[in-house]
Amino acid sequence: ADFDANNNLESLSNMTVLEQQISATRSFGFGDEVQRRVLAGTSVLSSDRFHTHYEAAALVRAKLSRSLEGVFRSESDTEAMECDEGKVDVILIPTALSFPCTLKPKNGDGAVSEIDSTAAFANDVMTIPISLGGFPSVSVPFQVSTSEGNDCDDVRKVVGLQVFGARGSEATIFKVAQALSSRR
């Protein structure tokens, strides 16, 4: 369907005051990337795509959740201080695959460049399984040292480390996050 500016303006004028306020808030308050993700999610959840996408995603979510649940110690094991081989209390992973980008990156000529939306989606790969499985998590800033091609230059950068655990283990997750945060 072609975009018709006149029909779009006419539909805007037919909105209630509340609908106009919501539309203004959503377009003003969200950046391009957030709007793109909201529209993608809305499209996937539309009624004509429900059976194609949502039901399959629900099956994947259940399988992922069961797999991750099997990695963690149960509460009774933790309370009894039993050592269950291969089971853990929390998992620590990077929040993203790369260092954080600058908010307004500049090209060599000083002009502000656009952030690649595909790269932004790809960077979410570390947080999606935890959210999809419904596991509690927290991301904490953590300073790391890197040598950028020169062994003499020690550059300090901040990365996000994600701590996640079994459902109901928020207290343990917060303790680990606090310990990581205090190492500055």
Side-chain angles (χ1 to χ4, degrees):
D2 291 331
F3 177 74
D4 184 353
N6 291 332
N7 284 341
N8 192 42
L9 290 174
E10 186 176 307
S11 68
L12 289 175
S13 65
N14 291 334
M15 286 188 208
T16 66
V17 174
L18 177 61
E19 291 169 332
Q20 289 175 0
Q21 184 178 12
I22 290 170
S23 178
T25 302
R26 288 186 176 166
S27 61
F28 174 75
F30 296 141
D32 291 342
E33 184 62 28
V34 173
Q35 287 181 22
R36 192 174 3 263
R37 290 178 185 221
V38 167
L39 290 173
T42 301
S43 174
V44 167
L45 292 175
S46 64
S47 62
D48 59 331
R49 295 187 180 173
F50 178 82
H51 296 295
T52 308
H53 298 294
Y54 184 78
E55 289 177 338
L59 291 172
V60 169
R61 178 184 181 168
K63 188 173 182 177
L64 174 72
S65 182
R66 282 192 304 273
S67 294
L68 283 173
E69 280 175 353
V71 172
F72 298 110
R73 285 189 190 103
S74 67
E75 268 189 58
S76 59
D77 292 343
T78 304
E79 289 172 6
M81 300 300 276
E82 293 179 19
C83 185
D84 192 357
E85 292 291 322
K87 302 276 183 161
V88 297
D89 294 321
V90 298
I91 296 176
L92 178 67
I93 61 173
T95 302
L97 294 174
S98 63
F99 288 109
C101 61
T102 57
L103 291 177
K104 294 189 178 184
K106 298 193 183 224
N107 293 331
D109 62 359
V112 175
S113 64
E114 291 292 318
I115 296 173
D116 179 14
S117 61
T118 305
F121 272 119
N123 228 357
D124 289 345
V125 74
M126 302 305 284
T127 60
I128 291 172
I130 292 94
S131 295
L132 194 60
F135 293 94
S137 70
V138 63
S139 181
V140 294
F142 192 78
Q143 194 172 65
V144 295
S145 296
T146 64
S147 56
E148 302 211 350
N150 183 347
D151 293 333
C152 298
D153 293 334
D154 183 28
V155 178
R156 297 202 178 271
K157 291 189 174 187
V158 176
V159 297
L161 290 181
Q162 184 176 196
V163 182
F164 73 100
R167 290 178 194 89
S169 66
E170 287 85 351
T172 304
I173 291 169
F174 288 142
K175 286 178 190 173
V176 173
Q178 180 63 41
L180 289 169
S181 294
S182 64
R183 281 197 41 147
R184 289 188 179 213

